mmCIF file of all heavy atoms in Angstrom:
data_model
loop_
_atom_site.group_PDB
_atom_site.id
_atom_site.type_symbol
_atom_site.label_atom_id
_atom_site.label_comp_id
_atom_site.label_asym_id
_atom_site.label_seq_id
_atom_site.Cartn_x
_atom_site.Cartn_y
_atom_site.Cartn_z
ATOM 1 N N ALA A 206 77.358 168.945 94.107
ATOM 2 C CA ALA A 206 76.930 167.540 94.095
ATOM 3 C C ALA A 206 77.632 166.831 95.261
ATOM 4 O O ALA A 206 78.715 167.210 95.682
ATOM 5 C CB ALA A 206 77.261 166.873 92.755
ATOM 6 N N GLY A 207 77.006 165.765 95.736
ATOM 7 C CA GLY A 207 77.595 164.962 96.773
ATOM 8 C C GLY A 207 77.069 163.528 96.687
ATOM 9 O O GLY A 207 76.378 163.197 95.694
ATOM 10 N N LEU A 208 77.366 162.730 97.647
ATOM 11 C CA LEU A 208 76.995 161.312 97.583
ATOM 12 C C LEU A 208 76.048 160.940 98.723
ATOM 13 O O LEU A 208 76.269 161.310 99.871
ATOM 14 C CB LEU A 208 78.260 160.434 97.674
ATOM 15 C CG LEU A 208 79.287 160.616 96.546
ATOM 16 C CD1 LEU A 208 80.487 159.739 96.812
ATOM 17 C CD2 LEU A 208 78.681 160.313 95.184
ATOM 18 N N TYR A 209 75.010 160.211 98.354
ATOM 19 C CA TYR A 209 74.183 159.528 99.354
ATOM 20 C C TYR A 209 74.766 158.107 99.491
ATOM 21 O O TYR A 209 75.276 157.524 98.538
ATOM 22 C CB TYR A 209 72.737 159.390 98.834
ATOM 23 C CG TYR A 209 71.883 160.596 99.037
ATOM 24 C CD1 TYR A 209 72.375 161.810 99.465
ATOM 25 C CD2 TYR A 209 70.503 160.529 98.779
ATOM 26 C CE1 TYR A 209 71.586 162.897 99.644
ATOM 27 C CE2 TYR A 209 69.672 161.613 98.942
ATOM 28 C CZ TYR A 209 70.208 162.815 99.357
ATOM 29 O OH TYR A 209 69.399 163.894 99.535
ATOM 30 N N GLU A 210 74.647 157.551 100.694
ATOM 31 C CA GLU A 210 74.986 156.135 100.889
ATOM 32 C C GLU A 210 73.659 155.385 100.971
ATOM 33 O O GLU A 210 72.910 155.517 101.926
ATOM 34 C CB GLU A 210 75.903 155.929 102.104
ATOM 35 C CG GLU A 210 75.301 155.850 103.451
ATOM 36 C CD GLU A 210 74.769 157.160 104.000
ATOM 37 O OE1 GLU A 210 74.476 158.110 103.236
ATOM 38 O OE2 GLU A 210 74.616 157.264 105.235
ATOM 39 N N VAL A 211 73.340 154.619 99.920
ATOM 40 C CA VAL A 211 71.978 154.125 99.698
ATOM 41 C C VAL A 211 71.870 152.602 99.876
ATOM 42 O O VAL A 211 72.726 151.857 99.380
ATOM 43 C CB VAL A 211 71.527 154.531 98.282
ATOM 44 C CG1 VAL A 211 70.115 154.016 98.016
ATOM 45 C CG2 VAL A 211 71.559 156.038 98.089
ATOM 46 N N THR A 212 70.842 152.194 100.572
ATOM 47 C CA THR A 212 70.538 150.785 100.723
ATOM 48 C C THR A 212 69.385 150.415 99.762
ATOM 49 O O THR A 212 68.730 151.325 99.225
ATOM 50 C CB THR A 212 70.079 150.446 102.169
ATOM 51 O OG1 THR A 212 68.890 151.222 102.472
ATOM 52 C CG2 THR A 212 71.173 150.819 103.180
ATOM 53 N N PRO A 213 69.135 149.135 99.539
ATOM 54 C CA PRO A 213 68.060 148.757 98.587
ATOM 55 C C PRO A 213 66.708 149.297 98.939
ATOM 56 O O PRO A 213 65.865 149.517 98.027
ATOM 57 C CB PRO A 213 68.091 147.230 98.659
ATOM 58 C CG PRO A 213 69.503 146.884 98.981
ATOM 59 C CD PRO A 213 69.937 147.969 99.947
ATOM 60 N N ASP A 214 66.399 149.534 100.212
ATOM 61 C CA ASP A 214 65.098 150.088 100.573
ATOM 62 C C ASP A 214 65.145 151.491 101.144
ATOM 63 O O ASP A 214 64.175 152.018 101.665
ATOM 64 C CB ASP A 214 64.344 149.139 101.543
ATOM 65 C CG ASP A 214 65.031 149.071 102.894
ATOM 66 O OD1 ASP A 214 66.110 149.672 103.088
ATOM 67 O OD2 ASP A 214 64.477 148.381 103.779
ATOM 68 N N ALA A 215 66.341 152.142 101.053
ATOM 69 C CA ALA A 215 66.554 153.505 101.488
ATOM 70 C C ALA A 215 66.352 153.684 103.041
ATOM 71 O O ALA A 215 66.150 154.791 103.484
ATOM 72 C CB ALA A 215 65.624 154.459 100.756
ATOM 73 N N HIS A 216 66.457 152.596 103.751
ATOM 74 C CA HIS A 216 66.432 152.694 105.213
ATOM 75 C C HIS A 216 67.819 152.267 105.752
ATOM 76 O O HIS A 216 68.517 151.477 105.128
ATOM 77 C CB HIS A 216 65.370 151.737 105.797
ATOM 78 C CG HIS A 216 63.960 152.209 105.588
ATOM 79 N ND1 HIS A 216 63.455 153.296 106.255
ATOM 80 C CD2 HIS A 216 62.960 151.761 104.799
ATOM 81 C CE1 HIS A 216 62.220 153.514 105.875
ATOM 82 N NE2 HIS A 216 61.901 152.591 104.995
ATOM 83 N N PRO A 217 68.177 152.809 106.926
ATOM 84 C CA PRO A 217 69.520 152.553 107.428
ATOM 85 C C PRO A 217 69.695 151.106 107.944
ATOM 86 O O PRO A 217 68.734 150.379 108.111
ATOM 87 C CB PRO A 217 69.654 153.538 108.577
ATOM 88 C CG PRO A 217 68.242 153.818 109.015
ATOM 89 C CD PRO A 217 67.436 153.756 107.762
ATOM 90 N N ILE A 218 70.944 150.763 108.196
ATOM 91 C CA ILE A 218 71.296 149.481 108.775
ATOM 92 C C ILE A 218 71.880 149.731 110.156
ATOM 93 O O ILE A 218 72.807 150.551 110.305
ATOM 94 C CB ILE A 218 72.354 148.731 107.906
ATOM 95 C CG1 ILE A 218 71.882 148.600 106.453
ATOM 96 C CG2 ILE A 218 72.698 147.365 108.502
ATOM 97 C CD1 ILE A 218 72.958 148.127 105.522
ATOM 98 N N TYR A 219 71.309 149.054 111.144
ATOM 99 C CA TYR A 219 71.785 149.190 112.519
ATOM 100 C C TYR A 219 72.202 147.812 113.056
ATOM 101 O O TYR A 219 71.505 146.815 112.752
ATOM 102 C CB TYR A 219 70.679 149.715 113.453
ATOM 103 C CG TYR A 219 70.259 151.142 113.229
ATOM 104 C CD1 TYR A 219 69.072 151.431 112.570
ATOM 105 C CD2 TYR A 219 71.000 152.221 113.753
ATOM 106 C CE1 TYR A 219 68.656 152.739 112.396
ATOM 107 C CE2 TYR A 219 70.567 153.511 113.589
ATOM 108 C CZ TYR A 219 69.397 153.791 112.905
ATOM 109 O OH TYR A 219 68.981 155.069 112.737
ATOM 110 N N GLY A 220 73.220 147.766 113.883
ATOM 111 C CA GLY A 220 73.431 146.542 114.644
ATOM 112 C C GLY A 220 74.742 145.835 114.375
ATOM 113 O O GLY A 220 75.654 146.325 113.737
ATOM 114 N N ALA A 221 74.794 144.589 114.871
ATOM 115 C CA ALA A 221 76.012 143.799 114.887
ATOM 116 C C ALA A 221 76.192 143.060 113.545
ATOM 117 O O ALA A 221 75.254 142.969 112.731
ATOM 118 C CB ALA A 221 75.969 142.795 116.021
ATOM 119 N N THR A 222 77.406 142.570 113.367
ATOM 120 C CA THR A 222 77.746 141.736 112.218
ATOM 121 C C THR A 222 78.380 140.450 112.760
ATOM 122 O O THR A 222 78.484 140.250 113.973
ATOM 123 C CB THR A 222 78.766 142.426 111.290
ATOM 124 O OG1 THR A 222 80.009 142.545 111.997
ATOM 125 C CG2 THR A 222 78.292 143.828 110.893
ATOM 126 N N ASP A 223 78.802 139.581 111.841
ATOM 127 C CA ASP A 223 79.447 138.337 112.286
ATOM 128 C C ASP A 223 80.866 138.572 112.810
ATOM 129 O O ASP A 223 81.461 137.655 113.368
ATOM 130 C CB ASP A 223 79.514 137.344 111.100
ATOM 131 C CG ASP A 223 78.129 136.804 110.732
ATOM 132 O OD1 ASP A 223 77.264 136.839 111.625
ATOM 133 O OD2 ASP A 223 77.935 136.381 109.575
ATOM 134 N N VAL A 224 81.385 139.795 112.579
ATOM 135 C CA VAL A 224 82.691 140.131 113.099
ATOM 136 C C VAL A 224 82.547 140.766 114.469
ATOM 137 O O VAL A 224 81.884 141.830 114.584
ATOM 138 C CB VAL A 224 83.442 141.100 112.127
ATOM 139 C CG1 VAL A 224 84.788 141.471 112.713
ATOM 140 C CG2 VAL A 224 83.606 140.454 110.747
ATOM 141 N N LYS A 225 83.127 140.137 115.496
ATOM 142 C CA LYS A 225 82.958 140.650 116.863
ATOM 143 C C LYS A 225 83.430 142.106 116.982
ATOM 144 O O LYS A 225 84.534 142.460 116.545
ATOM 145 C CB LYS A 225 83.725 139.779 117.822
ATOM 146 C CG LYS A 225 83.555 140.161 119.289
ATOM 147 C CD LYS A 225 84.258 139.217 120.232
ATOM 148 C CE LYS A 225 84.078 139.625 121.670
ATOM 149 N NZ LYS A 225 84.805 138.704 122.605
ATOM 150 N N GLY A 226 82.590 142.944 117.496
ATOM 151 C CA GLY A 226 82.940 144.351 117.720
ATOM 152 C C GLY A 226 82.753 145.236 116.522
ATOM 153 O O GLY A 226 82.922 146.461 116.614
ATOM 154 N N PHE A 227 82.365 144.662 115.379
ATOM 155 C CA PHE A 227 82.126 145.461 114.137
ATOM 156 C C PHE A 227 80.632 145.735 114.018
ATOM 157 O O PHE A 227 79.860 144.875 113.644
ATOM 158 C CB PHE A 227 82.641 144.713 112.928
ATOM 159 C CG PHE A 227 82.529 145.485 111.628
ATOM 160 C CD1 PHE A 227 82.764 146.850 111.584
ATOM 161 C CD2 PHE A 227 82.212 144.811 110.446
ATOM 162 C CE1 PHE A 227 82.662 147.563 110.407
ATOM 163 C CE2 PHE A 227 82.079 145.526 109.251
ATOM 164 C CZ PHE A 227 82.322 146.892 109.234
ATOM 165 N N LEU A 228 80.248 146.925 114.429
ATOM 166 C CA LEU A 228 78.820 147.329 114.446
ATOM 167 C C LEU A 228 78.541 148.259 113.288
ATOM 168 O O LEU A 228 79.404 149.019 112.848
ATOM 169 C CB LEU A 228 78.486 148.005 115.765
ATOM 170 C CG LEU A 228 78.851 147.224 117.029
ATOM 171 C CD1 LEU A 228 78.521 148.063 118.280
ATOM 172 C CD2 LEU A 228 78.167 145.887 117.051
ATOM 173 N N LEU A 229 77.295 148.283 112.845
ATOM 174 C CA LEU A 229 76.892 149.095 111.683
ATOM 175 C C LEU A 229 75.879 150.142 112.084
ATOM 176 O O LEU A 229 74.957 149.923 112.855
ATOM 177 C CB LEU A 229 76.272 148.202 110.597
ATOM 178 C CG LEU A 229 77.174 147.122 109.992
ATOM 179 C CD1 LEU A 229 76.400 146.322 108.965
ATOM 180 C CD2 LEU A 229 78.440 147.751 109.393
ATOM 181 N N CYS A 230 76.088 151.331 111.546
ATOM 182 C CA CYS A 230 75.122 152.434 111.650
ATOM 183 C C CYS A 230 75.347 153.235 110.357
ATOM 184 O O CYS A 230 76.128 154.185 110.303
ATOM 185 C CB CYS A 230 75.375 153.251 112.849
ATOM 186 S SG CYS A 230 74.270 154.681 113.084
ATOM 187 N N THR A 231 74.682 152.785 109.280
ATOM 188 C CA THR A 231 75.021 153.328 107.958
ATOM 189 C C THR A 231 73.827 153.205 107.009
ATOM 190 O O THR A 231 72.804 152.646 107.362
ATOM 191 C CB THR A 231 76.200 152.542 107.372
ATOM 192 O OG1 THR A 231 76.649 153.166 106.151
ATOM 193 C CG2 THR A 231 75.852 151.095 107.100
ATOM 194 N N GLY A 232 73.983 153.757 105.803
ATOM 195 C CA GLY A 232 72.969 153.602 104.771
ATOM 196 C C GLY A 232 71.754 154.472 104.945
ATOM 197 O O GLY A 232 70.630 154.061 104.626
ATOM 198 N N PHE A 233 71.952 155.708 105.371
ATOM 199 C CA PHE A 233 70.787 156.562 105.671
ATOM 200 C C PHE A 233 70.118 157.145 104.436
ATOM 201 O O PHE A 233 69.068 157.799 104.536
ATOM 202 C CB PHE A 233 71.175 157.686 106.648
ATOM 203 C CG PHE A 233 71.431 157.132 108.040
ATOM 204 C CD1 PHE A 233 72.716 156.747 108.406
ATOM 205 C CD2 PHE A 233 70.421 157.042 108.948
ATOM 206 C CE1 PHE A 233 72.961 156.221 109.661
ATOM 207 C CE2 PHE A 233 70.646 156.536 110.224
ATOM 208 C CZ PHE A 233 71.931 156.138 110.564
ATOM 209 N N SER A 234 70.739 156.995 103.304
ATOM 210 C CA SER A 234 70.079 157.346 102.022
ATOM 211 C C SER A 234 69.570 158.797 102.009
ATOM 212 O O SER A 234 68.487 159.066 101.474
ATOM 213 C CB SER A 234 68.942 156.377 101.712
ATOM 214 O OG SER A 234 69.414 155.012 101.780
ATOM 215 N N GLY A 235 70.366 159.698 102.532
ATOM 216 C CA GLY A 235 69.995 161.111 102.503
ATOM 217 C C GLY A 235 69.344 161.618 103.751
ATOM 218 O O GLY A 235 69.009 162.823 103.832
ATOM 219 N N HIS A 236 69.134 160.784 104.765
ATOM 220 C CA HIS A 236 68.440 161.222 106.000
ATOM 221 C C HIS A 236 69.327 161.162 107.217
ATOM 222 O O HIS A 236 68.856 161.186 108.348
ATOM 223 C CB HIS A 236 67.192 160.360 106.226
ATOM 224 C CG HIS A 236 66.209 160.447 105.124
ATOM 225 N ND1 HIS A 236 65.405 161.549 104.905
ATOM 226 C CD2 HIS A 236 65.921 159.567 104.122
ATOM 227 C CE1 HIS A 236 64.632 161.319 103.838
ATOM 228 N NE2 HIS A 236 64.955 160.165 103.350
ATOM 229 N N GLY A 237 70.651 161.067 107.008
ATOM 230 C CA GLY A 237 71.568 160.915 108.134
ATOM 231 C C GLY A 237 71.546 162.061 109.104
ATOM 232 O O GLY A 237 71.636 161.876 110.320
ATOM 233 N N PHE A 238 71.523 163.326 108.579
ATOM 234 C CA PHE A 238 71.513 164.478 109.496
ATOM 235 C C PHE A 238 70.231 164.468 110.344
ATOM 236 O O PHE A 238 70.292 164.765 111.553
ATOM 237 C CB PHE A 238 71.593 165.748 108.650
ATOM 238 C CG PHE A 238 71.761 166.991 109.458
ATOM 239 C CD1 PHE A 238 73.038 167.382 109.910
ATOM 240 C CD2 PHE A 238 70.663 167.757 109.811
ATOM 241 C CE1 PHE A 238 73.186 168.531 110.661
ATOM 242 C CE2 PHE A 238 70.820 168.918 110.578
ATOM 243 C CZ PHE A 238 72.072 169.277 111.042
#
């Protein structure tokens, strides 16, 4: 067994946040590879 990192719609999150330099590439819900 292992863990998926899941978002509400099972699609990833890309891009910037309100914190300067803190970028997101996460939430692939099983499709990261």
Side-chain angles (χ1 to χ4, degrees):
L208 300 176
Y209 278 9
E210 83 288 22
V211 180
T212 62
D214 66 356
H216 288 289
I218 305 170
Y219 292 102
T222 68
D223 291 336
V224 178
K225 184 178 180 180
F227 184 37
L228 307 178
L229 299 179
C230 179
T231 186
F233 289 90
S234 306
H236 300 286
F238 187 83

